[in-house]
Amino acid sequence: MRLRHIEVFHAVMQAGTISGAAQLLHISQPAVTKVLQHCELQLGMALFDRVRGKLYPTPEAQRLFVEIDKLNRDLVSIRRLAANLRSGESELVRLVATPTLGAAVIPAAMTHWCRAFPASHCLLSTNHTREIVSALMLGEADLALSLQDPRHPGIKAEVLASGQMMALCPVGTPEAEGYGPLAVGEIRSELVGLAGDDPLGNVVHNAGEAQGAHLQSRITVQTYQLARTLCEAGVGVTVVDPFTAASANRERVRLRPLAPAIPVQLFLLTAANAPLAQTARRLVKYLSEAAQQSLDSLNP
């Protein structure tokens, strides 16, 4: 039986008449009759006895209806799912990001996404890049944000935005009195350092070495957000990514780019063999826009 045969047979069994089935399917009565006759011809048996214009299902039709009714319910579910996928309704998107990006970029993007997809769901989490790669490869996440390209054969890395490392200088420090780029070797105030295993932190230290400055920190932190908070409290100067810098309190700190510039890229990470659904693709668009707005705010 073809799909159209199944739909017409099911409708006739439900309605009990050709006219009723035509109303259910929103087609003409002759069309229902033609499809039903073709179905019986294909099956090689009558499905209904016609008595004075009325249809009475045969025992064979009754047995067929039990299975076809199950199939019809499945078809209805499939159509509903297809419609939901098309509109983005009732879909779950799993997004994981490094802690810095979770606080600096995601909130603004989620505001727009929630308005666009009011019936969809998003599972947000934060982790380090190594764990993020594992989550994507295991199918535990759909997409991720990181400031690192893991260069993994199973991960697709796409640049969403590009900026540069920024120095946060507490108001009152010598570094805050200057304008324009700040060389790492010019930092004289207490330095709130980044953990030794932080890739960007290592780049900053290497830049200092190249300028003949051996950066020493009494206070070392694991996250850029904590470094920013300590800087706002006046503990010392720190160097962070541009997205964290954009969220800093400008009344408490002055922002200065490093010299020479240390580039930073925001990467969208996905599993190479797992294309994103519509709602996830729209979320990527909002994430990209939010990241660019953060960068733009550094140059009012």
Side-chain angles (χ1 to χ4, degrees):
M1 297 178 69
R2 297 177 181 176
L3 179 58
R4 195 55 172 167
H5 294 162
I6 291 172
E7 291 176 330
V8 169
F9 172 71
H10 189 269
V12 173
M13 289 292 290
Q14 282 188 313
T17 63
I18 295 293
S19 60
Q23 290 178 354
L24 287 175
L25 297 173
H26 305 289
I27 60 177
S28 67
Q29 293 185 37
V32 172
T33 300
K34 182 177 180 180
V35 173
L36 190 59
Q37 289 175 343
H38 188 269
C39 178
E40 290 179 319
L41 181 63
Q42 193 175 60
L43 290 174
M45 62 182 177
L47 296 174
F48 297 92
D49 293 324
R50 283 89 170 159
V51 181
R52 291 189 293 275
K54 293 185 178 182
L55 298 179
Y56 296 91
T58 63
E60 291 80 7
Q62 294 283 9
R63 293 185 62 183
L64 273 175
F65 181 72
V66 173
E67 298 303 320
I68 285 179
D69 188 49
K70 297 177 186 176
L71 179 58
N72 189 72
R73 287 196 296 270
D74 290 339
L75 290 173
V76 170
S77 297
I78 291 171
R79 290 194 181 99
R80 186 180 298 117
L81 174 59
N84 288 343
L85 291 174
R86 185 169 57 250
S87 65
E89 296 293 317
S90 302
E91 188 173 338
L92 173 64
V93 178
R94 300 165 300 170
L95 169 63
V96 58
T98 55
T100 290
L101 299 172
V105 175
I106 290 179
M110 290 306 301
T111 300
H112 297 289
W113 186 84
C114 288
R115 290 197 197 107
F117 298 97
S120 294
H121 305 273
C122 186
L123 178 60
L124 298 172
S125 60
T126 59
N127 218 323
H128 298 293
T129 302
R130 183 180 303 171
E131 287 72 25
I132 285 175
V133 169
S134 177
L136 290 170
M137 294 300 296
L138 293 174
E140 297 172 350
D142 301 307
L143 65 161
L145 296 180
S146 176
L147 297 178
Q148 301 176 46
D149 179 353
R151 301 187 182 280
H152 189 287
I155 298 297
K156 178 182 177 182
E158 175 186 348
V159 177
L160 291 186
S162 299
Q164 58 180 307
M165 295 290 282
M166 303 289 293
L168 303 187
C169 311
V171 171
T173 61
E175 294 81 6
E177 295 175 1
Y179 292 87
L182 174 68
V184 176
E186 295 175 349
I187 298 176
R188 296 292 179 264
S189 299
E190 181 81 36
L191 180 67
V192 177
L194 301 175
D197 59 351
D198 183 89
L200 293 179
N202 286 332
V203 173
V204 173
H205 278 277
N206 292 337
E209 295 285 343
Q211 297 174 32
H214 301 283
L215 301 178
Q216 299 294 328
S217 303
R218 291 193 301 149
I219 299 175
T220 303
V221 298
Q222 291 286 337
T223 68
Y224 300 126
Q225 294 295 323
L226 181 53
R228 186 209 68 196
T229 303
L230 291 173
C231 181
E232 290 173 338
V235 173
V237 174
T238 192
V239 178
V240 297
D241 69 280
F243 307 104
T244 300
S247 64
N249 186 335
R250 310 298 173 86
E251 295 181 359
R252 296 186 176 185
V253 301
R254 181 179 300 280
L255 277 57
R256 299 180 64 182
L258 293 185
I262 298 178
V264 178
Q265 293 180 312
L266 170 61
F267 292 97
L268 168 70
L269 305 180
T270 56
N273 60 350
L276 296 177
Q278 178 185 347
T279 48
R281 292 196 301 270
R282 285 286 293 277
L283 180 54
V284 170
K285 174 179 178 292
Y286 296 135
L287 290 168
S288 179
E289 292 173 350
Q292 191 58 53
Q293 288 172 0
S294 291
L295 297 176
D296 291 343
S297 72
L298 296 174
N299 303 293

